[in-house]
Amino acid sequence: MKPQPIEYANASDEVKAVFDDIKTSRNVPDVNNFWKYLANDPVALRRTWSSLKEVMAPGALDPVVKEMVYLAVSVTNNCGYCIASHHAGAEKAGMTPAMFAELMSVVGMANETNRLVNGYRVPIDPAFDK
Amino acid sequence: MKPQPIEYANASDEVKAVFDDIKTSRNVPDVNNFWKYLANDPVALRRTWSSLKEVMAPGALDPVVKEMVYLAVSVTNNCGYCIASHHAGAEKAGMTPAMFAELMSVVGMANETNRLVNGYRVPIDPAFDK
Amino acid sequence: MKPQPIEYANASDEVKAVFDDIKTSRNVPDVNNFWKYLANDPVALRRTWSSLKEVMAPGALDPVVKEMVYLAVSVTNNCGYCIASHHAGAEKAGMTPAMFAELMSVVGMANETNRLVNGYRVPIDPAFDK
Amino acid sequence: MKPQPIEYANASDEVKAVFDDIKTSRNVPDVNNFWKYLANDPVALRRTWSSLKEVMAPGALDPVVKEMVYLAVSVTNNCGYCIASHHAGAEKAGMTPAMFAELMSVVGMANETNRLVNGYRVPIDPAFDK
Amino acid sequence: MKPQPIEYANASDEVKAVFDDIKTSRNVPDVNNFWKYLANDPVALRRTWSSLKEVMAPGALDPVVKEMVYLAVSVTNNCGYCIASHHAGAEKAGMTPAMFAELMSVVGMANETNRLVNGYRVPIDPAFDK
Amino acid sequence: MKPQPIEYANASDEVKAVFDDIKTSRNVPDVNNFWKYLANDPVALRRTWSSLKEVMAPGALDPVVKEMVYLAVSVTNNCGYCIASHHAGAEKAGMTPAMFAELMSVVGMANETNRLVNGYRVPIDPAFDK
């Protein structure tokens, strides 16, 4: 059977605790679908949320940069849900339309030159290998 | 036959002109291998350099952010040359070891959750589809 | 024009023979869409069914393991149809919700650490290269 | 600068604690290169090891199945290091040459039919979407 | 906010000029959605159209071969829009159903043997490395 | 243990028969490494060779086009062995340096625009969906 979402009302206490933390941390009235589906595995839910919170926290990189990198990877992998959710997340963190447009250009070029490098079998310059 | 690099001394005037512009723009004594291999196709060389110069110029995103996004895509695609060259490029643009470490964590998590989304077949939340 | 499915009633004898073998082997009343579309190329249909039957037969690996591996690859590649059909196939072969959940966690982690390895440029340990 | 491995002797106490746990859990005299490189980011090291230990523990799936799925994903993504290390890990968990051979056949077929599905634009059968 | 298409009537003069050139070059009454979305970034629109016109022009390879290669890459990457648009483009350039069927078989096999090579860790024959 | 190649002298009669057919079909004195490694699984060896011979035979597409498509997919997937072997195969079938250069440009552009489409979430034009 196709995986089904777990809504808050039907969730176990373990799942509710994670949902509550997501809602508080993000100041949102409900968690988004990703968490409702992942709640089918409460251990994975807890681990993934805990990891994501740690990884996406402000640090050496700004939150908007982290969200844009997340979007860049999702675009490269063509994950439709992830593109939609991290586009929204990046905008919330401050990404403007101009920033989005430049991001897409960089992602496009990187995917292009990655293949030119593969096809021409370019060896690594000694200067890049130190 | 395996593609071979074109060194400056053996390059056509058309290729030399692009090499000269790369060297001047980046303030480097020689172009890196990518350009020497792409020089087998002078039209692609000119187009790719011209596009890259336009895309990677400072704009709404800082050059270091652009280089880190380039690195994130290259890591996702596992292009060894591109990882090495854009790691160097990002460092030159200001990426510190702490920034690199956080970048890798974001790239890793994005690649992980992209697949969790695929496997659980998570539908896009209406809020992300506006 | 977009590829169209070939229904049994309109199929050539060559295609019908493959459809009949699929229906008998799997004990299903009709073939699923994949085969109806591939039937546009009767040679590819025959070859692909023949290969799949050989590859997915019980052997050193249990059928449920083979279906779960198929699902893991499809999730990694984000093939929506393949995820849906092999999720169903794995369940038919015995995959429980708990097995599915663990499978997704492994697939997620593998996609994450694959990129950490790429980004940190980790050399193969001599012990793994023997 | 290219990422460098952190050897036990030069590691911080935080890193040493993770290395010790890996060595004890796996009963090995030293950690493999992946951990030595990831040790450049002690937070990521701890999180990744903790997640991996949880995900790869025996559960609804046997350890050898988990290692084979890890290998299947790594082969699909072409991560050379991961292929080598999880081939070794799967063998240690009980994968025989016959099991490896069947695994590769399944991974190959899945990657092939994933693309046939994409190219023929096969719609999901209603039966697979429940 | 989700990216929105720019219709001709609402486009800037810069965007209109590119749209006009696409319509004239392809002899079509309107540009397809790709260009309407990319028009959110007039610089990327101009660069991408200019590059595409140069790359897809008849040369050492026939236009139908170029369109089929474009389709092969899009199928490998599972880009649904690109598969649909380049299928149409390849047909317009002369791809018959028989050519499409053979193309899919080649793309399928290549994706399969690419992974067999990865999994068996096949070293490059010296003859292929010259 | 790392997979090892099976040389003709040590091969079973079943494997020798496939090797002989490859050598005769291609008019080469020895099979390339791919077949020597795949020979660890004689069933997969026979099936893969038989499929490849069928798929790569002249038909609606010229052999050189098929080899170039194989190369395009291998470049997109970054399979180093496959890039080297199918570059050689394409050259043997008639690919000139100019054809290779154009092929790489198409592969590069396709990988770029695939991601622009993903990122801008471009819906399929009705005309492409018939």
Side-chain angles (χ1 to χ4, degrees), chain B residues 24-86:
Chain B
T24 304
S25 300
R26 296 185 162 176
N27 193 24
V28 288
D30 195 10
V31 302
N32 52 296
N33 283 340
F34 175 62
W35 305 109
K36 293 181 184 177
Y37 279 75
L38 197 55
N40 284 284
D41 181 350
V43 172
L45 174 71
R46 181 197 42 68
R47 182 182 64 245
T48 306
W49 168 243
S50 157
S51 294
L52 202 74
K53 202 163 50 162
E54 186 172 286
V55 167
M56 300 303 280
L61 299 179
D62 282 341
V64 67
V65 171
K66 292 187 172 185
E67 283 290 345
M68 286 191 299
V69 168
Y70 222 109
L71 181 53
V73 170
S74 302
V75 165
T76 298
N77 288 330
N78 194 14
C79 174
Y81 181 86
C82 316
I83 292 167
S85 62
H86 288 281

